[in-house]
Amino acid sequence: MKGTAADRPLRGAGKRPTQTRPAKKAKKKLWELKLYVAGQTPKSLTAFANLKAICEEHLQGSYAIEVIDLLVNPQLAKGDQIIAIPTLVRKLPVPIRKIIGDLSNTERVLVGLDLRPLQ
């Protein structure tokens, strides 16, 4: 004779109660930046220092900077159509953006990277 439903153990009995997991944090947007330079000239070094300072202040660790020395690898200029140096190329987030110069005008760089709206 089969037992009634009341006599049978509940499904899942003995299992731990289901726990709700906190929602996954939204991934931070990764900024992929390429800085094209020609050797370690004062202008190239200034561009890198300015870029690093801007990224530390405004992107808080969600960025990657690749410095490409065109004296060592001149063929790499063709891929991003580099015509002047130093040039900063924002690969991610899309769309691609380019800024030419030593990046000393912080406001211009922020607008160029789309970190601050044009005023």
Side-chain angles (χ1 to χ4, degrees), residues 8-113:
R8 285 182 260 152
L10 296 174
R11 278 193 179 162
K15 293 183 181 177
R16 289 192 284 178
T18 305
Q19 296 177 356
T20 57
R21 293 183 181 168
K24 287 186 177 180
K25 291 181 182 177
K27 286 186 178 181
K28 276 188 173 181
K29 186 170 26 173
L30 178 65
W31 292 71
E32 186 179 309
L33 307 168
K34 290 185 178 185
L35 180 63
Y36 288 88
V37 297
Q40 293 192 7
T41 63
K43 200 168 189 176
S44 296
L45 295 173
T46 300
F48 179 73
N50 290 335
L51 177 59
K52 185 80 170 161
I54 289 168
C55 288
E56 285 298 313
E57 183 176 343
H58 297 278
L59 299 176
Q60 291 94 24
S62 60
Y63 65 92
I65 299 172
E66 180 181 0
V67 177
I68 300 168
D69 187 340
L70 295 178
L71 292 180
V72 176
N73 295 311
Q75 71 278 8
L76 296 179
K78 188 176 183 181
D80 281 321
Q81 301 174 347
I82 304 302
I83 57 172
I85 47 171
T87 296
L88 174 64
V89 178
R90 183 186 83 178
K91 299 296 268 183
L92 291 175
V94 291
I96 292 174
R97 292 183 174 242
K98 295 179 185 177
I99 302 169
I100 298 171
D102 67 4
L103 311 177
S104 58
N105 184 336
T106 303
E107 193 62 33
R108 181 176 163 255
V109 175
L110 293 175
V111 170
L113 289 174

